[in-house]
Amino acid sequence: MPRTILVTGATGFVGSHVAEVLVQRGDTVRTIARAGSDTALLEKLGVTIVRGDLTDSAAVKQACDGVDVVIHCGAKVGDWGPVDDYRKVNVEGLRLLLDAVVKTPLTRFVLVSSLGVYAARHHYGTDETEPLPDHHIDGYTQSKVEAERLAMEYHRKQGVPVTVLRPGFIYGPRDRSVLPRIATRLKERSIVYIAKGRYALNTTYVANLVDAILLATDHPAAVGEVFNITDGEFVSKRQFFEAVADGTGMPRARGSVPVWLARFVAKWRESVFRRTNKHHPPRGTPARLKFAGLNLDFSIAKARTKLGYEPRVQFQEGMKNAIEWYRSTKS
């Protein structure tokens, strides 16, 4: 039966894919969009757009009125800036959404979180039983931990039917951030591998994540649960960067530094930038070290067994699609 579904962040990378698939299967989709946001795709799809943002209580209440499902993809992302700037959107904006649906006949509230909530260390098959740290390396991941805890508190105390998904590094068509930035740095020849690029990257193709989100909205066993979501495939950092280089026609990265040296330089550069109140991060931060230099392998066994999640797009196909979209924006 078609449902009315609020998708936050639908003007962004993940949310736009979610909205598109929901419309295709016959659901009525709403979103909240700031003034000036590019809503052309959403308008073409017939998505109802409520003007405002996640910190606007009136807009949030209007968007939540009468919905059956909330899929919360919207967030402030990044690895630089005061933690309170991230909390304002990622925690307090979430609180407004949760307050708006308390004591309503909502069937599911899917919170799209991040595998970044786990400790910034090497991971080898880490699953959802691992406790999350109270203090994190940047405002984004700190706020994401706090957001998860808030959502689960509303589930326990207010009965909101929450499901939390923790995707890894999301890639695919419409990524206007990470892949273009990597292509630019490859062109500049400013990328150097850490530990020869041998460690795992927790790749999550956007269509696989959308599949997981739909399963989370539909499966009764999803309520009150947390799930890691990746492509379930080993992809090394080197494999990823070389695929971007080859696909975009940029030179492959050369050279490598050990993890200990990269960690020392990242912490030193970050401390200098913070001390001098820089409004932008250095190229090396602890968060970027995690992306480029730590083994990020997480178990998706729970999602497979409890949700029936099975990644249908593997890295080679997913990267081909991502590169084709990126090249189309350059033509």
Side-chain angles (χ1 to χ4, degrees), residues 16-297:
S16 68
H17 284 276
V18 174
E20 185 174 37
V21 171
L22 291 173
V23 169
Q24 288 171 353
R25 76 174 195 174
D27 292 309
T28 299
V29 180
R30 291 184 199 164
T31 194
I32 303 172
R34 294 188 299 271
S37 297
D38 183 359
T39 57
L41 173 62
L42 301 180
E43 291 169 8
K44 183 178 179 181
L45 291 172
V47 172
T48 300
I49 299 168
V50 176
R51 295 294 175 179
D53 62 42
L54 293 173
T55 64
D56 179 346
S57 60
V60 168
K61 287 178 182 177
Q62 180 184 349
C64 289
D65 184 34
V67 299
D68 302 302
V69 174
V70 174
I71 300 173
H72 186 31
C73 303
K76 177 177 172 59
V77 300
D79 60 358
W80 196 251
V83 65
D84 284 343
D85 289 354
Y86 290 90
R87 284 189 179 118
K88 182 179 179 182
V89 177
N90 298 347
V91 181
E92 297 311 316
L94 170 63
R95 192 188 305 276
L96 290 177
L97 283 167
L98 292 165
D99 282 339
V101 299
V102 167
K103 297 180 180 178
T104 70
L106 193 78
T107 61
R108 200 63 41 87
F109 190 111
V110 179
L111 173 62
V112 180
S113 184
S114 168
L115 287 174
V117 297
Y118 292 108
R121 61 167 177 80
H122 290 305
H123 290 273
Y124 297 90
T126 296
D127 66 20
E128 297 87 347
T129 62
E130 165 132 343
L132 303 183
D134 291 325
H135 303 288
H136 249 293
I137 61 174
D138 57 63
Y140 171 72
T141 47
Q142 180 69 37
S143 67
K144 278 296 194 179
V145 171
E146 295 172 11
E148 284 196 17
R149 289 173 176 167
L150 179 67
M152 284 306 186
E153 180 182 345
Y154 271 74
H155 169 65
R156 291 190 305 271
K157 296 182 178 180
Q158 305 282 358
V160 179
V162 169
T163 301
V164 176
L165 300 183
R166 294 173 179 165
F169 167 67
I170 307 166
Y171 71 103
R174 300 182 199 153
D175 169 20
R176 299 181 183 276
S177 177
V178 179
L179 194 150
R181 186 165 65 240
I182 291 172
T184 297
R185 291 199 59 190
L186 286 165
K187 184 177 181 179
E188 297 170 348
R189 298 182 181 270
S190 60
I191 288 180
V192 176
Y193 288 117
I194 300 172
K196 300 181 180 179
R198 68 177 182 272
Y199 290 125
L201 182 60
N202 52 0
T203 50
T204 310
Y205 184 63
V206 66
N208 291 338
L209 174 55
V210 172
D211 288 346
I213 290 170
L214 296 186
L215 287 168
T217 67
D218 298 337
H219 205 302
V223 176
E225 298 289 347
V226 178
F227 299 95
N228 295 341
I229 303 295
T230 73
D231 293 338
E233 175 185 15
F234 178 84
V235 176
S236 71
K237 320 282 189 178
R238 180 178 288 272
Q239 185 180 353
F240 179 82
F241 283 115
E242 288 184 350
V244 175
D246 295 348
T248 59
M250 302 301 174
R252 288 186 172 188
R254 297 283 184 255
S256 178
V257 297
V259 174
W260 68 265
L261 179 58
R263 182 177 289 116
F264 172 80
V265 172
K267 287 184 176 179
W268 172 67
R269 292 292 291 162
E270 182 181 51
S271 67
V272 170
F273 272 53
R274 291 195 187 281
R275 207 164 49 241
T276 54
N277 293 317
K278 298 282 189 182
H279 296 297
H280 60 88
R283 282 194 166 173
T285 64
R288 296 180 189 187
L289 168 67
K290 180 170 65 175
F291 171 78
L294 297 181
N295 197 78
L296 302 176
D297 172 44

